[in-house]
Amino acid sequence: IPVIYEPLLKKFWPGPLTLLFPWKDTVSNLLTGGTGTVGFRISPDPFAQMLLDKWKRPITATSANLSGDRPAETAHEVKKIFGSHLDYIIDGGDSPAGLCSTIVGYEGEKLVLIRQGKISFEEIIEASLPVSG
């Protein structure tokens, strides 16, 4: 884990922050979406936490939406959007409406905003600054 991410992990995880890491050839390129990076997030959602606790492994997932559209908030909306393209839908209850996760990467020693989401980039930068005192 890059040192630059450590204060962000402490302040914002679990939560709406996705951190990007360079792709390694030990990870399937299917997970990169052709970007050369892999995003990680720990959801605070109780249902997601229960799945992780039972599965004991990372789960790969994306928002239930077509690129550029707002994410589905209910299992019914997921079915309406994706229909027969899905084998199963696990209904963990309604998802809260609102902004998606903020996506942050890094270049050298600098944080880079990839997508503005629920956490402002100003909050990210502030959390990453050394505490003076």
Side-chain angles (χ1 to χ4, degrees):
I1 296 176
V3 173
I4 198 168
Y5 281 169
E6 289 177 3
L8 305 180
L9 297 172
K10 290 177 185 166
K11 179 156 182 153
F12 299 112
W13 273 14
L17 176 64
T18 300
L19 297 174
L20 296 184
F21 292 83
W23 172 79
K24 295 188 181 229
D25 62 3
T26 56
V27 177
S28 170
N29 199 29
L30 293 173
L31 295 177
T32 71
T35 65
T37 60
V38 178
F40 289 88
R41 176 175 174 240
I42 298 178
S43 173
D45 180 77
F47 186 76
Q49 291 286 328
M50 183 272 305
L51 284 177
L52 286 168
D53 186 53
K54 298 287 184 196
W55 186 245
K56 306 280 189 219
R57 295 185 189 108
I59 297 172
T60 182
T62 184
S63 299
N65 66 311
L66 298 173
S67 185
D69 291 348
R70 72 170 187 77
E73 295 175 27
T74 66
H76 177 75
E77 287 181 11
V78 171
K79 186 172 183 176
K80 189 174 176 182
I81 293 168
F82 296 101
S84 63
H85 297 284
L86 299 176
D87 292 325
Y88 303 99
I89 296 172
I90 300 172
D91 188 349
D94 293 0
S95 295
L99 294 173
C100 297
S101 68
T102 299
I103 302 176
V104 172
Y106 68 95
E107 292 176 4
E109 300 294 317
K110 185 178 176 186
L111 293 171
V112 178
L113 178 66
I114 307 300
R115 179 184 75 193
Q116 181 64 59
K118 193 164 186 168
I119 303 170
S120 73
F121 195 54
E122 290 76 25
E123 290 176 272
I124 300 288
I125 296 300
E126 185 178 309
S128 71
L129 297 174
V131 178
S132 59

